[in-house]
Amino acid sequence: MPRANRYFVPGYVWHITHRCHKREFLLRFSQDRQAWIRWLFEARKRYGLEILNYVVTSNHVHLLVYGGTDREAIPRSMQLIAGRTAQEYNQRKQRKGGFWEDRYHATAVETDEHLARCLTYIDLNMVRAGVVRHPAMWTHGGHSEIINPPARYRLIARGRLLNLLSMDEATFQTAYPAWIGEAMSAVAGREPAW
């Protein structure tokens, strides 16, 4: 049976998730998570992927991106990231077979409170899993860059993020930590909306 077509709606924000094959912990080592991030950076450079947030866990990834007008930017980026991460892992481990469970899953996100909730949901992934107490402690996610943007080698499209949230830098610098704090006080497990 053929796969269903993917629909692309320009100008939307997309929450993308991708799981490792059989939910195995194929990304359990830091070097594998770092490889995924390195290829994410390459996808940003090659295809103009506008990244709003991300987190790499031990067995899946979350990626929040802006869909712009180029309908090929997201699929090409995901093909590059997933393919190269799997190739590197399989070569290093002298392994054959599938790395990813299936194609990535993409859900459209509204650019209002839904976007703010999605940002915090992604950041709190490893907190909910009980791996860290605060998202700043997990180095394989976008939280630290959102809080303290680096001068070079940025992944997060900060201007786009602020524009989508209809905020200026000063308002965002106050609001974002408050959202994280509020979400952390309510952490009780996986939210069914995601």
Side-chain angles (χ1 to χ4, degrees):
M1 184 163 132
R3 292 180 172 175
N5 288 334
R6 289 199 189 276
Y7 294 99
F8 177 77
V9 183
Y12 268 73
V13 172
W14 298 94
H15 178 202
I16 297 170
T17 56
H18 208 184
R19 290 195 179 280
C20 292
H21 184 66
K22 296 183 181 178
R23 298 182 185 222
E24 293 180 66
F25 293 97
L26 300 178
L27 295 167
R28 72 178 162 265
F29 296 113
S30 178
Q31 69 184 35
D32 299 315
R33 293 188 298 268
Q34 199 57 45
W36 190 91
I37 293 168
R38 188 176 65 251
W39 287 110
L40 178 64
F41 185 79
E42 184 63 28
R44 184 186 69 75
K45 288 190 321 187
R46 282 189 196 183
Y47 305 117
L49 186 67
E50 291 190 70
I51 304 152
L52 305 176
N53 201 1
Y54 67 95
V55 70
V56 187
T57 74
S58 296
N59 69 351
H60 70 282
V61 297
H62 288 268
L63 179 61
L64 191 64
V65 296
Y66 176 70
T69 57
D70 181 1
R71 67 182 316 105
E72 295 300 318
I74 294 172
R76 283 186 178 155
S77 295
M78 292 307 294
Q79 182 180 20
L80 174 72
I81 299 163
R84 294 296 175 88
T85 302
Q87 284 174 345
E88 286 180 12
Y89 181 88
N90 284 347
Q91 285 175 355
R92 194 179 85 251
K93 296 285 187 174
Q94 297 178 356
R95 173 186 182 272
K96 292 183 180 183
F99 185 91
W100 300 102
E101 187 170 82
D102 201 357
R103 296 193 307 168
Y104 64 90
H105 180 75
T107 305
V109 175
E110 295 179 23
T111 57
D112 54 10
E113 181 186 332
H114 192 206
L115 175 57
R117 285 182 46 227
C118 191
L119 281 168
T120 57
Y121 176 81
I122 290 170
D123 280 341
L124 267 62
N125 205 278
M126 297 311 284
V127 174
R128 282 189 307 280
V131 177
V132 295
R133 289 189 315 270
H134 191 277
M137 298 170 76
W138 187 252
T139 58
H140 299 104
H143 176 79
S144 294
E145 183 175 335
I146 291 173
I147 292 293
N148 188 19
R152 296 177 64 191
Y153 305 116
R154 292 182 184 191
L155 274 170
I156 306 295
R158 192 171 193 87
R160 177 69 68 188
L161 181 60
L162 294 175
N163 181 270
L164 291 167
L165 291 167
S166 301
M167 292 185 167
D168 61 24
E169 184 67 38
T171 306
F172 182 70
Q173 284 292 336
T174 303
Y176 187 69
W179 297 340
I180 294 293
E182 184 180 312
M184 284 187 62
S185 66
V187 168
R190 183 178 290 173
E191 291 182 41
W194 308 114

